[in-house]
Amino acid sequence: MDIRSSLDYAQVELLLEAWKAEGRYEFISLSGHWGYILDLYREKMLPNPIHVDLLYVDSDLAPSWKSLKKFHPRYDEHYYNACLYDTDKMEIRCEIPVPLGTPIPFESRKRRLVVHGGGWGMGTYQSKVPELSSHNYGLDIVAYDWKEAKPDPDHRYWMNDPDWCSWVKSGSGLHEFPPYIEIAGEDTKSYAAKADHHWLFDVASEAMAIVAKPGAGTLIDSLASETPLILLEPFGSHELSNLELWESLGFGIRYEKWREMDFSVDVLKEMHQAIRNRPGERTNYVDHYCSRVALTKR
């Protein structure tokens, strides 16, 4: 559908005026749905230019970008296309690191797997829990509802604090990462939000692998923490492209293939080493963005 039919243009105008009053000139857009609003702001600010990065965090166009391209074929005419991945060369162009220091070596990691369904709780992850737990792995399972957590001494269940809302600012006036909960019956604990990364990254950094569909955020977590992916069924052609990229690079393996290898730890270690020893310059996307913005201000 054309997303423009869903926009409240009175509210859009208020937003654009607020941006103008705040002197906003630099943007990074992770969704095609913002394209029309950025175009309106660009026109409002003329002759002063704005700098917009269209950041593609999947290895192929996600649905929001495909929709934008369908109804606005030249959507990127005035903006910079920032691609994390090059599927033609099957390589990584830029990375989004997480500032936690050096990733944990494989030998120091716990014999645990992180199991989740991405930001929306989608996919077949829940159906894999019984089989995985029978192969001597402890599981860290992300729950998307209280009733999903089932008592088990070998499993830990985690979830975002359900009172957190991504578009509501905190008391400090900022959009922040969610507080989180470890669900353990009477011993359930709540934790404050992390300042500069989401809480699941810490859990994944200590694990041997992440079992999930190949969503964009999962790829970023995998690379930054050097934690390999056990790849579940993708949703859409963009996630299929992500799966094929990670598989080609040796950073992930399809669940069915890993099952054929009897859920081998050695395979996980090999993939961890492949991520750790990955070739290339490891270009930091944030540094890359800032250097280009600085050039436009000269």
Side-chain angles (χ1 to χ4, degrees):
M1 62 174 288
D2 187 337
I3 197 67
R4 284 173 289 191
S5 63
S6 298
L7 296 177
D8 181 334
Y9 284 94
Q11 292 294 321
V12 170
E13 182 60 23
L14 290 175
L15 175 65
L16 301 187
E17 285 297 324
W19 284 352
K20 184 176 180 180
E22 295 164 355
R24 305 280 183 179
Y25 289 95
E26 288 97 38
F27 297 84
I28 300 173
S29 176
L30 287 88
S31 168
H33 295 323
W34 283 97
Y36 302 113
I37 295 173
L38 289 167
D39 282 348
L40 292 171
Y41 188 62
R42 175 182 167 275
E43 293 168 6
K44 178 183 284 288
M45 298 301 286
L46 288 174
N48 298 318
I50 65 172
H51 181 102
V52 176
D53 262 26
L54 306 177
L55 178 57
Y56 305 98
V57 290
D58 290 285
S59 59
D60 191 14
L61 291 182
S64 71
W65 297 110
K66 287 182 178 178
S67 171
L68 181 63
K69 188 173 184 178
K70 176 181 177 181
F71 297 104
H72 183 13
R74 298 172 64 185
Y75 72 90
D76 57 350
E77 182 178 12
H78 301 288
Y79 309 133
Y80 181 85
N81 285 314
C83 302
L84 295 184
Y85 312 112
D86 185 333
T87 50
D88 290 334
K89 297 180 180 179
M90 282 295 178
E91 64 183 25
I92 297 166
R93 285 181 174 173
C94 290
E95 302 181 14
I96 300 178
V98 178
L100 291 183
T102 305
I104 300 172
F106 191 83
E107 293 76 12
S108 301
R109 298 193 177 210
K110 302 171 183 175
R111 190 183 168 97
R112 302 189 68 85
L113 305 172
V114 172
V115 185
H116 69 72
W120 300 100
M122 298 170 66
T124 58
Y125 66 102
Q126 288 183 333
S127 68
K128 310 306 183 201
V129 168
E131 188 170 40
L132 291 171
S133 61
S134 68
H135 284 80
N136 199 28
Y137 287 101
L139 304 181
D140 287 284
I141 305 164
V142 177
Y144 299 85
D145 189 276
W146 288 102
K147 64 178 179 289
E148 293 180 18
K150 300 179 174 109
D152 190 303
D154 295 323
H155 301 345
R156 298 187 298 186
Y157 286 88
W158 309 82
M159 70 184 298
N160 287 344
D161 187 325
D163 291 333
W164 174 79
C165 182
S166 59
W167 54 83
V168 175
K169 293 180 180 179
S170 69
S172 59
L174 299 173
H175 294 290
E176 295 182 340
F177 291 101
Y180 61 108
I181 296 168
E182 182 180 358
I183 307 171
E186 294 181 356
D187 295 325
T188 293
K189 297 181 179 66
S190 298
Y191 300 93
K194 303 288 183 175
D196 57 3
H197 64 282
H198 69 87
W199 58 268
L200 186 60
F201 187 85
D202 292 325
V203 181
S205 295
E206 297 180 344
M208 289 186 172
I210 301 169
V211 182
K213 67 183 186 65
T218 303
L219 266 59
I220 292 170
D221 287 350
S222 170
L223 199 62
S225 66
E226 297 180 356
T227 306
L229 296 186
I230 307 301
L231 299 155
L232 302 182
E233 291 85 344
F235 275 73
S237 59
H238 62 298
E239 287 197 357
L240 175 59
S241 179
N242 291 344
L243 182 151
E244 292 171 344
L245 175 65
W246 239 237
E247 196 174 37
S248 172
L249 292 170
F251 299 171
I253 186 171
R254 299 185 194 223
Y255 183 88
E256 294 75 16
K257 187 173 181 181
W258 190 47
R259 176 198 282 144
E260 292 172 2
M261 298 176 175
D262 199 27
F263 303 92
S264 166
V265 172
D266 290 338
V267 171
L268 303 183
K269 183 176 181 179
E270 289 172 9
M271 293 191 294
H272 165 81
Q273 294 296 343
I275 302 174
R276 171 158 287 201
N277 300 324
R278 61 192 180 276
E281 298 180 2
R282 303 195 186 186
T283 302
N284 182 320
Y285 167 70
V286 178
D287 292 342
H288 183 54
Y289 171 82
C290 292
S291 64
R292 285 184 288 104
V293 169
L295 287 174
T296 64
K297 293 182 176 180
R298 290 180 180 177

